[in-house]
Amino acid sequence: MGFLETLIRFTCVGVILSEFAVAVVGFTYPIARPNCSDRCGDMKIPYPFGLRKGCYLDHNFFVNCTNSAKPFIPKHVIVKNISLHGQIDTLMNIAYDCYKKGKMVASNHPSLKSPLNFTVSSTQNKFVVVGCDTHANLNGYQQNERFTTGCRSMCESTRFMVNGSCTGVGCCEVDIPKALKKVTMKSHSSQNHTIVENFNPCGYAFISKQDTFNFSIDSLRTLRDQQMMPLVLDWAIGNETCNDVENKSNYICGDNSSCQNSEDSSGYRCKCKDGYDGNPYLPNGCQDIDECENPNNCNHMGQECINEPGKFTCVCIKGYHLDQSAGVCVANQSSLQVKLLDKTKNHNNFTTFPNIAHRLVHG
């Protein structure tokens, strides 16, 4: 088989593989302890969380799955999703106060008491207040110290409101501080909504996961029909730092993982090292990723992928060598090439032939 024909065939195979490439289905890593269920309905339950004794780290990580549609952790915090990156998606009731002819007819002042080392995420949430005669407070604790924040929105019409933007007219918002827990919310009115009752009879306040609430003029009324808002909790292990716990028997980060101090509160989290994936809280939960299953790795002509623990290497296959200047594998000059070049008796072919091969390799 001629050298050019060989290159062309390799190129065609590469094109065909590119056309029919599909996502590689990676190895399914265990996320729960042995003989423990890792599901509550459709939701995954990774260790340190668990559904029964012996399957969770301690009572703070117990997931009650009696009602698989509404599982919860202690203190009756609803669980929608658990991330091994240290977050839980949950829901919290909306605070409101509603008026009719100047008299309060309905109100709600919700609270969220999460387990130990579960805090309201300062990076994933906002405290939002909606209304035209509304001021609201968010109260809580930061490492046993009382904390209060809030904002106020006063307006007489919807004229200057901007749909899709919480600009302060009809809607205001404030950041969540770090390490906030045991939160309560309460909304108030200065004039009992007497001036704005015809278009805004209620004031509202809630913690909301960022980018999930989109303010509109209709929110002044429709929020009354929505009971809860999504928010994100951060969680961590224990109350010690990595330096304090790494050499202790209660340290739970597994092999091929690293320890990271919690940014929002005390405690630590575990993370698989680069080149590994899985559950870092299990003894052997972080397992090597076979990067060679990814068709985009080592996919140039003449390359072969070699998987190694935590990494991969691209090497040149037999018949190719590494071009140091270009950093790619190029075909060795064969005796067939020499014979072909001698037969043509054309010096120009000697300079153009390698160029053709180079384009095929990189094209």
Side-chain angles (χ1 to χ4, degrees):
M1 184 182 294
F3 180 72
L4 280 176
E5 184 180 354
T6 302
L7 284 177
I8 292 171
R9 286 195 176 186
F10 272 116
T11 304
C12 291
V13 170
V15 171
I16 293 172
L17 289 176
S18 299
E19 292 292 331
F20 291 95
V22 294
V24 175
V25 179
F27 179 75
T28 301
Y29 304 107
I31 62 171
R33 274 184 166 178
N35 302 316
C36 293
S37 175
D38 62 1
R39 295 269 178 176
C40 176
D42 294 331
M43 187 177 67
K44 294 181 180 179
I45 308 295
Y47 184 77
F49 296 86
L51 304 179
R52 61 178 176 84
K53 191 173 182 180
C55 294
Y56 51 80
L57 178 63
D58 59 48
H59 71 279
N60 293 300
F61 295 91
F62 167 56
V63 179
N64 189 319
C65 191
T66 304
N67 181 354
S68 61
K70 291 184 178 180
F72 63 89
I73 54 178
K75 308 292 179 71
H76 294 278
V77 175
I78 297 173
V79 181
K80 304 298 291 183
N81 182 64
I82 300 174
S83 166
L84 285 171
H85 298 297
Q87 284 88 36
I88 285 183
D89 286 329
T90 183
L91 299 170
M92 185 177 181
N93 288 315
I94 294 175
Y96 58 82
D97 58 325
C98 298
Y99 300 85
K100 186 174 182 180
K101 296 181 179 180
K103 294 183 178 181
M104 183 183 290
V105 294
S107 65
N108 186 41
H109 312 304
S111 62
L112 181 69
K113 295 178 174 63
S114 58
L116 182 68
N117 280 1
F118 287 60
T119 58
V120 179
S121 175
S122 62
T123 60
Q124 301 290 318
N125 303 297
K126 291 281 189 179
F127 179 58
V128 183
V129 176
V130 175
C132 265
D133 180 12
T134 303
H135 58 279
N137 297 329
L138 172 65
N139 308 301
Y141 287 84
Q142 288 180 287
Q143 297 183 357
N144 299 320
E145 293 185 10
R146 292 180 181 271
F147 171 87
T148 298
T149 189
C151 64
R152 185 185 191 98
S153 175
M154 301 293 292
C155 42
E156 295 184 356
S157 71
T158 62
R159 178 181 175 187
F160 298 105
M161 293 181 189
V162 179
N163 286 332
S165 179
C166 192
T167 59
V169 182
C171 177
C172 62
E173 62 183 25
V174 295
D175 292 336
I176 303 290
K178 289 186 176 182
L180 189 65
K181 61 175 60 178
K182 298 180 181 178
V183 297
T184 60
M185 297 180 296
K186 190 171 184 179
S187 58
H188 310 268
S189 173
S190 299
Q191 300 173 326
N192 292 356
H193 284 246
T194 51
I195 298 177
V196 297
E197 184 180 322
N198 63 322
F199 66 91
N200 177 218
C202 302
Y204 311 93
F206 48 88
I207 301 172
S208 179
K209 182 179 180 179
Q210 291 196 41
D211 301 325
T212 59
F213 173 68
N214 188 30
F215 172 74
S216 71
I217 295 174
D218 291 339
S219 302
L220 299 176
R221 287 189 176 275
T222 57
L223 277 174
R224 186 65 182 90
D225 299 323
Q226 186 168 347
Q227 295 183 340
M228 310 183 89
M229 279 288 182
L231 65 86
V232 179
L233 294 177
D234 289 331
W235 59 268
I237 305 296
N239 55 14
E240 296 178 291
T241 66
C242 293
N243 288 336
D244 295 331
V245 76
E246 280 182 324
N247 294 320
K248 293 184 178 181
S249 60
N250 61 341
Y251 177 64
I252 69 168
C253 293
D255 294 339
N256 301 312
S257 71
S258 60
C259 182
Q260 298 180 328
N261 291 322
S262 172
E263 295 181 359
D264 276 6
S265 62
S266 59
Y268 67 92
R269 300 189 183 104
C270 307
K271 181 183 178 182
C272 289
K273 294 179 179 178
D274 291 344
Y276 294 86
D277 192 19
N279 187 341
Y281 298 94
L282 294 173
N284 298 302
C286 293
Q287 300 187 23
D288 177 54
I289 299 171
D290 187 354
E291 292 91 349
C292 293
E293 291 185 353
N294 185 340
N296 294 319
N297 290 335
C298 305
N299 63 349
H300 291 293
M301 182 69 71
Q303 287 186 342
E304 180 182 10
C305 182
I306 304 296
N307 186 61
E308 300 177 28
K311 61 182 179 179
F312 70 99
T313 304
C314 297
V315 299
C316 297
I317 63 175
K318 185 176 181 180
Y320 287 78
H321 68 276
L322 179 65
D323 185 327
Q324 297 287 353
S325 61
V328 295
C329 297
V330 296
N332 298 333
Q333 286 245 332
S334 66
S335 58
L336 181 61
Q337 286 178 263
V338 176
K339 289 180 181 179
L340 180 61
L341 294 174
D342 288 342
K343 187 176 181 180
T344 59
K345 304 296 184 181
N346 187 337
H347 182 72
N348 288 334
N349 284 342
F350 184 78
T351 59
T352 59
F353 183 83
N355 291 336
I356 295 173
H358 192 268
R359 287 199 299 272
L360 287 170
V361 171
H362 291 279

